Amino acid sequence: MALFVQKYGGTSVGTAECIEAVAEKVCGFRNKGHDVVVVVSAMSGETNRLIDLANSITEEPAPREMDVLVSTGEQVTIALLAMALQKRGCEARSYTGGQVSILTDSMHTKARIRKIDEQGMRDDLDAGRVIVVAGFQGVDENGNITTLGRGGSDTTAVALAAALKADECQIYTDVDGVYTTDPRVVDSARRLERITFEEMMEMASLGSKVLQIRAVEFAGKYNVPLRVLSSFQEGEGTLITLEENIAMEQPVVSGIAFNRDEAKVTISGVPDTPGSALRILKPVSDANIDVDMIVQNVGEDNRTAFTFTVHRNDFNRAKDVLQRVSDELGAREVSGDTKIAKVSIVGVGMRSHVGVATTMFEALSAEGINIQMISTSEIKISVVINEKYLELAVRALHSAFELEKPAVEETM
Amino acid sequence: MALFVQKYGGTSVGTAECIEAVAEKVCGFRNKGHDVVVVVSAMSGETNRLIDLANSITEEPAPREMDVLVSTGEQVTIALLAMALQKRGCEARSYTGGQVSILTDSMHTKARIRKIDEQGMRDDLDAGRVIVVAGFQGVDENGNITTLGRGGSDTTAVALAAALKADECQIYTDVDGVYTTDPRVVDSARRLERITFEEMMEMASLGSKVLQIRAVEFAGKYNVPLRVLSSFQEGEGTLITLEENIAMEQPVVSGIAFNRDEAKVTISGVPDTPGSALRILKPVSDANIDVDMIVQNVGEDNRTAFTFTVHRNDFNRAKDVLQRVSDELGAREVSGDTKIAKVSIVGVGMRSHVGVATTMFEALSAEGINIQMISTSEIKISVVINEKYLELAVRALHSAFELEKPAVEETM
């Protein structure tokens, strides 16, 4: 007898048939005696339909009103799922974010959860009811409807699991778990049985779009065991948990993430004086451009070069900003390249193993792939390479770190 | 400077363009210095779309969940209208029924309003904001979402007007007012400038589907001046008000209503003993069949006949029930007719004028129209006739009571 918080995303509840299938699954858990709190997203396509409606009225809708509008998407799903559960003789009750007391700050369209009053949910669970909660939404202290930002249903699920001290927060999605890398790129990519919160965060932010990074962060902070599973097929999925729960045999590298959404921008021939990094990056940040990797090389003539990566959508704006900065600083040149890709190896095992970087660089070199930038953290090494070598690089690294082989602990 | 509560129905907010037009109209009132509270319905078609969704899951959705589902329809409209107002520089804020504190009982899908806390609205109005409220919905004391039943947006508007002591509650619809009769039947039908609550209730219940009868009842009870106007064309519409506000020159008859949704059922040869009316009508009422007109004739042999009218959809069920009753009572026969129509003349002026019935029966007789049933109230006389004479009867009565001529007070 456990308490599960389960989250079903937009494609899992995209049609009446899908909702019936989710109800069937939830009833299965109830019939085994488990308590279940279900968090659902809007039916796929619904949120976009609502946003289009708003845009047909104004290009700059007030965030408060956007929240009133888009929060209806999840409200439709909770009612339909509750009906589908009741039809199966499974007692259920639906709640909007406000009704279940998900109190947030007042930052409309990107609110953060402040507090959850779990007493009402406990009463329902004690009465044997399944609770169906609208994901992605809450209310502020004045009763205004807020939303947590797109994909925030994962965060709702984790927050409810934390508040209720659930045994597991299960995120049902259209993939059956977290893989060592994208199976569309590497045939032998393998589903991981377990991964740590930290690794998952690195994987998620690098483009393995299985889970919202905020949800993983939240789960890690409150130590909520998080499981990613498929809505459409049976399986154990991938359990995301604290490092201490991961067996000693954890492999050095857990997975290979990659990203081709970035572009790089270089400003070279910058007079090498204190504060130049700030004078270059502050205008970029002021222009609301997110910078990912930053590399500085010392050059000749007391001059230096900065290279950093930004989202490709921001490439032209970043170049314009830098050109202005370059003129002010008396730098030599601003250049850039959009045809790049970032490849990262991720693993908590790296911490205690030397030579991981060497293996990585050797594997790339053996394939004749030139490394343009390098950035490292405790559990991750990222390189920027020419975009055309992306698949080759991922396959070479997957094989170099023997990710196709199951780790010892995973055979237990 | 007045305070208006305005209600716009589904066709008035059916598309983004319609919503823009409503915003334009509301801004016009604001620019003249008036305070405005707007109540809106779901965009036309939306409520049916949601009901279809529910029916695709189950034929018997729980009323609580239906309310969660269909209340999203109005919530979408309030957000879009608030956006359209803000775009025009008109400060506005949207509220769901729950947010604006429309407290109802817990009768899901047909809840009744218990209390409205108007303080929050006063604050918004004082701050110069237009308030946009979702019609048709509220919350019960446990925070469950309720709906007032279909068409309940009119009731929301009247209730808000009563709570705020508004100067006028304006119902914008697709007709430009209340007519002496249906203009599709009588060319010379004339828009009424004023009508009393009582007359309006008789007109509405008899098929002039301009306003929800509950809303009119509510407006009468709290003496909220109610005006019906067109969303799509300029005009004064029709003001519905207390009798004392109607000038002395009020014509005897205000309008002619009619209805072809009814059927009549007769049980004859009933032994004329005390309690027979009850023994006949109770089983009908127990079967949830609404009865409209009831007529009893004394016959021969100490036997009597009852005739009453029911909705045509209930005709067969009513006959079945009566056949059972007939067997029990030892009555002679059960018969019925669906090809009937009810025509009524309505007017508070009838109270003080004799001979109204005579004029009515003369006019019908002159056209050779046989009267099958008669029923009277203080401000209404209804007759049942053969359906095929309906248009002829309405035109004859409209002319007999000179309804095509403007009343004196209406020329002021």
Side-chain angles (χ1 to χ4, degrees):
Chain A
M1 305 313 106
L3 167 57
F4 295 124
V5 175
Q6 305 186 326
K7 181 258 174 176
Y8 294 89
T11 51
S12 306
V13 294
T15 63
E17 293 78 47
C18 290
I19 290 173
E20 300 257 18
V22 168
E24 201 61 43
K25 209 182 254 287
V26 171
C27 282
F29 278 89
R30 274 301 292 152
N31 291 341
K32 285 181 193 145
H34 300 304
D35 285 331
V36 188
V37 175
V38 188
V39 175
V40 286
S41 302
M43 295 168 79
S44 54
E46 182 63 8
T47 304
N48 285 333
R49 184 184 76 88
L50 293 166
I51 291 172
D52 288 348
L53 264 177
N55 288 338
S56 71
I57 300 265
T58 170
E59 280 170 23
E60 291 178 7
R64 180 188 185 279
E65 302 304 332
M66 274 311 275
D67 283 351
V68 172
L69 182 68
V70 297
S71 62
T72 61
E74 287 73 26
Q75 190 171 330
V76 167
T77 319
I78 57 171
L80 295 176
L81 180 56
M83 290 174 192
L85 286 165
Q86 290 160 354
K87 182 169 92 171
R88 287 166 174 77
C90 179
E91 269 208 80
R93 208 168 267 186
S94 75
Y95 293 101
T96 64
Q99 287 179 313
V100 84
S101 297
I102 297 180
L103 189 73
T104 71
D105 60 25
S106 299
M107 290 296 288
H108 286 289
T109 77
K110 43 179 186 276
R112 294 195 160 246
I113 296 173
R114 276 194 178 155
K115 215 180 85 183
I116 291 179
D117 175 8
E118 86 283 8
Q119 194 49 53
M121 287 185 281
R122 291 246 181 257
D123 294 344
D124 272 324
L125 291 172
D126 290 347
R129 291 189 195 105
V130 170
I131 302 171
V132 184
V133 180
F136 164 75
Q137 56 182 246
V139 280
D140 73 6
E141 57 187 355
N142 296 315
N144 294 302
I145 296 169
T146 56
T147 67
L148 310 179
R150 220 147 181 195
S153 291
D154 289 354
T155 308
T156 302
V158 172
L160 290 177
L164 291 164
K165 298 183 178 52
D167 295 286
E168 212 169 270
C169 179
Q170 303 175 331
I171 309 287
Y172 287 85
T173 173
D174 46 5
V175 298
D176 69 342
V178 181
Y179 275 69
T180 50
T181 194
D182 187 337
R184 284 170 301 185
V185 172
V186 181
D187 286 342
S188 59
R190 197 173 39 79
R191 179 174 55 80
L192 294 161
E193 303 265 321
R194 281 161 179 263
I195 187 175
T196 68
F197 293 117
E198 283 170 295
E199 288 172 325
M200 188 63 214
M201 271 189 277
E202 296 289 3
M203 297 286 274
S205 67
L206 292 167
S208 306
K209 288 152 194 152
V210 178
L211 269 174
Q212 283 292 310
I213 190 162
R214 257 175 76 193
V216 180
E217 206 180 320
F218 208 12
K221 188 168 165 193
Y222 292 97
N223 190 15
V224 175
L226 198 59
R227 190 181 290 276
V228 177
L229 315 96
S230 165
S231 296
F232 306 105
Q233 56 191 91
E234 291 296 311
E236 293 299 304
T238 297
L239 180 66
I240 306 158
T241 179
L242 282 184
E243 193 175 345
E244 61 206 36
N245 298 332
I246 303 266
M248 292 300 292
E249 310 302 327
Q250 178 72 8
V252 177
V253 169
S254 293
I256 318 270
F258 57 84
N259 179 342
R260 40 185 137 206
D261 295 334
E262 295 191 5
K264 74 171 183 182
V265 192
T266 301
I267 176 167
S268 49
V270 181
D272 193 6
T273 52
S276 57
L278 177 69
R279 288 166 71 189
I280 289 165
L281 286 170
K282 188 158 183 312
V284 175
S285 144
D286 287 348
N288 262 321
I289 298 170
D290 275 342
V291 170
D292 179 20
M293 292 168 75
I294 305 174
V295 170
Q296 180 182 7
N297 283 332
V298 180
E300 293 156 21
D301 307 336
N302 224 18
R303 285 180 178 253
T304 182
F306 288 87
T307 300
F308 48 88
T309 61
V310 296
H311 195 280
R312 278 190 197 177
N313 295 344
D314 292 329
F315 177 67
N316 286 326
R317 280 173 56 228
K319 266 185 74 180
D320 291 347
V321 170
L322 277 197
Q323 194 54 61
R324 234 174 39 227
V325 173
S326 171
D327 296 346
E328 286 167 22
L329 292 181
R332 198 164 53 234
E333 189 189 11
V334 172
S335 59
D337 186 359
T338 59
K339 300 242 179 282
I340 61 158
K342 184 165 82 165
V343 181
S344 309
I345 57 174
V346 175
V348 289
M350 282 187 203
R351 284 193 190 130
S352 48
H353 285 75
V354 289
V356 177
T358 317
T359 307
M360 183 182 197
F361 301 155
E362 260 174 11
L364 294 175
S365 162
E367 299 291 347
I369 301 170
N370 188 40
I371 297 172
Q372 302 179 9
M373 292 173 79
I374 300 172
S375 153
T376 62
S377 80
E378 261 198 292
I379 66 162
K380 179 189 67 168
I381 303 175
S382 300
V383 297
V384 166
I385 59 174
N386 186 319
E387 186 185 22
K388 70 181 174 185
Y389 296 125
L390 174 63
E391 289 84 358
L392 179 60
V394 172
R395 280 193 293 265
L397 293 171
H398 201 268
S399 157
F401 289 103
E402 302 186 325
L403 292 181
E404 68 283 0
K405 295 186 191 162
V408 176
E409 61 106 18
E410 293 177 347
T411 59
M412 293 194 298
Chain B
M1 304 314 106
L3 167 57
F4 295 124
V5 175
Q6 304 186 325
K7 180 258 175 175
Y8 295 90
T11 51
S12 307
V13 294
T15 62
E17 294 77 47
C18 290
I19 290 173
E20 301 258 18
V22 168
E24 201 62 41
K25 207 181 258 284
V26 171
C27 283
F29 278 89
R30 274 301 292 151
N31 292 341
K32 285 181 195 145
H34 300 303
D35 285 331
V36 189
V37 175
V38 188
V39 175
V40 286
S41 301
M43 297 167 79
S44 53
E46 181 64 7
T47 304
N48 284 333
R49 185 184 75 89
L50 294 166
I51 291 172
D52 288 348
L53 265 177
N55 288 338
S56 70
I57 301 265
T58 170
E59 280 170 22
E60 292 178 8
R64 180 188 185 278
E65 302 305 332
M66 274 311 276
D67 283 351
V68 172
L69 181 69
V70 297
S71 62
T72 61
E74 287 74 25
Q75 191 171 329
V76 166
T77 319
I78 57 172
L80 295 176
L81 179 56
M83 290 174 191
L85 286 166
Q86 289 159 355
K87 183 170 92 170
R88 286 166 174 77
C90 179
E91 267 207 83
R93 206 167 270 185
S94 74
Y95 293 100
T96 63
Q99 287 179 314
V100 83
S101 297
I102 298 180
L103 189 73
T104 72
D105 60 25
S106 299
M107 290 295 290
H108 287 289
T109 76
K110 42 180 186 276
R112 293 196 161 245
I113 296 174
R114 277 193 179 157
K115 215 180 84 181
I116 291 179
D117 175 8
E118 86 284 6
Q119 194 48 56
M121 286 185 281
R122 291 246 181 257
D123 294 345
D124 273 322
L125 291 173
D126 289 347
R129 293 189 193 104
V130 170
I131 302 172
V132 184
V133 180
F136 163 75
Q137 57 182 245
V139 280
D140 72 8
E141 57 186 356
N142 296 314
N144 295 301
I145 297 169
T146 55
T147 67
L148 310 180
R150 222 147 180 197
S153 291
D154 289 354
T155 308
T156 302
V158 172
L160 290 177
L164 290 165
K165 299 184 178 52
D167 294 286
E168 211 169 271
C169 179
Q170 304 176 329
I171 309 287
Y172 287 86
T173 174
D174 46 6
V175 299
D176 69 342
V178 181
Y179 275 68
T180 50
T181 194
D182 188 337
R184 284 169 302 186
V185 172
V186 181
D187 286 343
S188 60
R190 197 174 38 80
R191 179 174 57 78
L192 294 161
E193 303 265 320
R194 283 157 179 264
I195 187 174
T196 67
F197 293 118
E198 284 170 296
E199 287 171 323
M200 188 62 213
M201 271 189 275
E202 296 289 2
M203 297 286 273
S205 66
L206 291 167
S208 307
K209 288 151 192 151
V210 178
L211 269 173
Q212 283 293 309
I213 189 162
R214 258 176 75 192
V216 180
E217 205 179 322
F218 208 11
K221 187 170 167 191
Y222 292 98
N223 191 13
V224 175
L226 198 58
R227 191 180 288 277
V228 177
L229 315 98
S230 165
S231 296
F232 306 106
Q233 57 192 90
E234 291 296 312
E236 292 299 306
T238 298
L239 181 66
I240 306 157
T241 179
L242 282 184
E243 196 176 341
E244 62 206 34
N245 298 332
I246 303 264
M248 291 301 289
E249 311 303 326
Q250 178 72 10
V252 176
V253 170
S254 293
I256 317 271
F258 56 85
N259 180 341
R260 45 185 132 206
D261 295 334
E262 296 190 5
K264 75 169 181 182
V265 193
T266 301
I267 176 168
S268 49
V270 181
D272 194 7
T273 53
S276 57
L278 177 68
R279 287 166 73 189
I280 289 166
L281 286 169
K282 189 160 186 308
V284 175
S285 144
D286 287 349
N288 262 319
I289 299 170
D290 275 342
V291 170
D292 180 19
M293 292 168 78
I294 305 174
V295 169
Q296 181 184 6
N297 282 333
V298 180
E300 295 156 19
D301 308 337
N302 222 19
R303 287 180 178 252
T304 182
F306 288 87
T307 300
F308 49 88
T309 61
V310 296
H311 196 279
R312 279 192 196 177
N313 295 343
D314 292 329
F315 177 67
N316 286 325
R317 279 173 57 229
K319 266 185 74 178
D320 291 347
V321 171
L322 278 199
Q323 194 55 62
R324 235 174 40 227
V325 172
S326 171
D327 297 345
E328 287 167 22
L329 292 182
R332 199 164 52 235
E333 189 189 13
V334 172
S335 58
D337 186 0
T338 58
K339 300 244 179 285
I340 59 159
K342 183 166 82 166
V343 181
S344 310
I345 57 173
V346 175
V348 290
M350 282 187 206
R351 284 190 190 134
S352 49
H353 284 76
V354 287
V356 176
T358 317
T359 307
M360 182 183 197
F361 302 155
E362 261 173 10
L364 295 174
S365 162
E367 299 291 346
I369 301 170
N370 187 41
I371 298 172
Q372 304 178 7
M373 292 172 80
I374 301 173
S375 151
T376 61
S377 79
E378 260 200 291
I379 65 163
K380 179 189 68 169
I381 304 174
S382 301
V383 296
V384 167
I385 57 172
N386 187 319
E387 187 184 21
K388 70 180 173 184
Y389 295 125
L390 174 63
E391 289 84 359
L392 179 60
V394 173
R395 279 192 294 266
L397 293 170
H398 200 267
S399 158
F401 289 103
E402 301 186 324
L403 293 180
E404 68 283 358
K405 296 187 190 160
V408 177
E409 61 106 20
E410 294 178 350
T411 58
M412 292 193 299

